[in-house]
Amino acid sequence: MKLTIVEYPDKKLKEKSKAIEKFDKELHKLLDAMYEVMIKSNGIGLAAIQVGHAKQVLILNIPDENDTQPLDNLIEMINPTIVQRSGETVYQEGCLSVPSFYEDIDRHEKIIVHYHDREGSAQTLSADGLLSIAIQHEIDHLNGILFIDKLSYSRRKKFEKEYKRVQKEKKLSKA
Ligand code: Y12
Ligand code: CO
């Protein structure tokens, strides 16, 4: 399965993802293909909707202290739900679907999330730091929300202008 990243302003990114009911070979193929495209694109997190599949599936591979992303650190979450939130934090976020843009976004500092792994086993994870931020960012994707949707009116206006300019430049450089 070869996947490509869906980029803003594609309307697909606004879709709400559906819960997974079968933990089968098709799901495993999707997860493996998502990992491949995320690593190839230098990403640390990816939701299925970003590759065109409106399914409650996300993957995360937070870099370690050597700035590498060992496969052992890969987290796959199916049908995730945040059950507890605490504290506040701000982080300059980026997204493979909104290339070249980074913005400060408010998030909860700590979360507890319930999810299923690829075999369908129920899991619970307590997260803080970058992992907590990344999980909140990816779960937003499952609900059709992008990090730029959280910007103030003026920051969003500025972003739209700049994004259009960069898209135009990219188009011209390809022509
Ligand atoms: C903290 C905040 C947000 C997340 C969500 C996951 N985000 C990413 O994986 C973003 C990846 C990304 C990669 C880019 O490509 C390169 O650096 C080569 C990138 O740059 C360009 O598009 C030019 C932007 C974002 C997790 C944790
Ligand atoms: Co994203």
Side-chain angles (χ1 to χ4, degrees), residues 30-77:
L30 173 64
L31 284 162
D32 294 344
M34 283 173 62
Y35 175 73
E36 199 175 302
V37 73
M38 180 182 77
I39 294 299
K40 203 178 81 186
S41 311
N42 283 311
I44 61 175
L46 187 71
I49 195 66
Q50 293 179 270
V51 290
H53 293 254
K55 295 177 177 182
Q56 289 182 21
V57 173
L58 65 87
I59 62 170
L60 303 150
N61 198 351
I62 304 298
D64 62 15
E65 60 282 2
N66 304 314
D67 213 24
T68 60
Q69 290 173 287
L71 191 54
D72 279 358
N73 290 357
L74 176 67
I75 299 173
E76 298 174 334
M77 291 187 171

Side-chain angles (χ1 to χ4, degrees), residues 12 23 25 33 47 54 59 68 73 79-80 91 107 115 139 141 149 168:
K12 186 81 190 171
F23 294 81
K25 234 181 191 164
I59 62 170
T68 60
N73 290 357
N79 305 338
Y91 191 82
R107 297 285 183 189
Y115 65 99
I139 289 181
H141 275 298
D149 295 331
K168 208 171 162 183

Side-chain angles (χ1 to χ4, degrees), residues 24 82 90 95 143:
D24 57 8
I82 296 172
V90 181
C95 178
N143 293 312

Side-chain angles (χ1 to χ4, degrees), residues 50 94-97 137-138 141 146-147:
Q50 293 179 270
C95 178
L96 288 174
S97 293
H137 176 112
E138 300 308 335
H141 275 298
L146 295 175
F147 74 110

Side-chain angles (χ1 to χ4, degrees), residues 57-147:
V57 173
L58 65 87
I59 62 170
L60 303 150
N61 198 351
I62 304 298
D64 62 15
E65 60 282 2
N66 304 314
D67 213 24
T68 60
Q69 290 173 287
L71 191 54
D72 279 358
N73 290 357
L74 176 67
I75 299 173
E76 298 174 334
M77 291 187 171
I78 324 294
N79 305 338
T81 315
I82 296 172
V83 294
Q84 256 186 62
R85 303 160 170 85
S86 60
E88 287 164 23
T89 188
V90 181
Y91 191 82
Q92 195 171 51
E93 298 188 13
C95 178
L96 288 174
S97 293
V98 190
S100 310
F101 278 84
Y102 302 88
E103 292 280 355
D104 279 352
I105 303 295
D106 298 331
R107 297 285 183 189
H108 296 288
E109 191 184 4
K110 291 181 183 181
I111 56 168
I112 298 177
V113 57
H114 287 174
Y115 65 99
H116 289 83
D117 64 21
R118 65 160 64 203
E119 308 303 340
S121 301
Q123 305 286 345
T124 298
L125 178 73
S126 296
D128 58 14
L130 190 55
L131 178 59
S132 167
I133 293 162
I135 294 169
Q136 292 171 70
H137 176 112
E138 300 308 335
I139 289 181
D140 271 354
H141 275 298
L142 305 186
N143 293 312
I145 299 165
L146 295 175
F147 74 110

Side-chain angles (χ1 to χ4, degrees), residues 4-40:
T4 50
I5 306 277
V6 177
E7 290 185 4
Y8 181 79
D10 195 314
K11 292 267 187 305
K12 186 81 190 171
L13 294 166
K14 301 298 297 174
E15 266 182 49
K16 281 202 178 227
S17 295
K18 294 208 167 65
I20 292 288
E21 286 172 3
K22 286 189 210 153
F23 294 81
D24 57 8
K25 234 181 191 164
E26 190 190 313
L27 171 67
H28 296 174
K29 274 189 192 164
L30 173 64
L31 284 162
D32 294 344
M34 283 173 62
Y35 175 73
E36 199 175 302
V37 73
M38 180 182 77
I39 294 299
K40 203 178 81 186

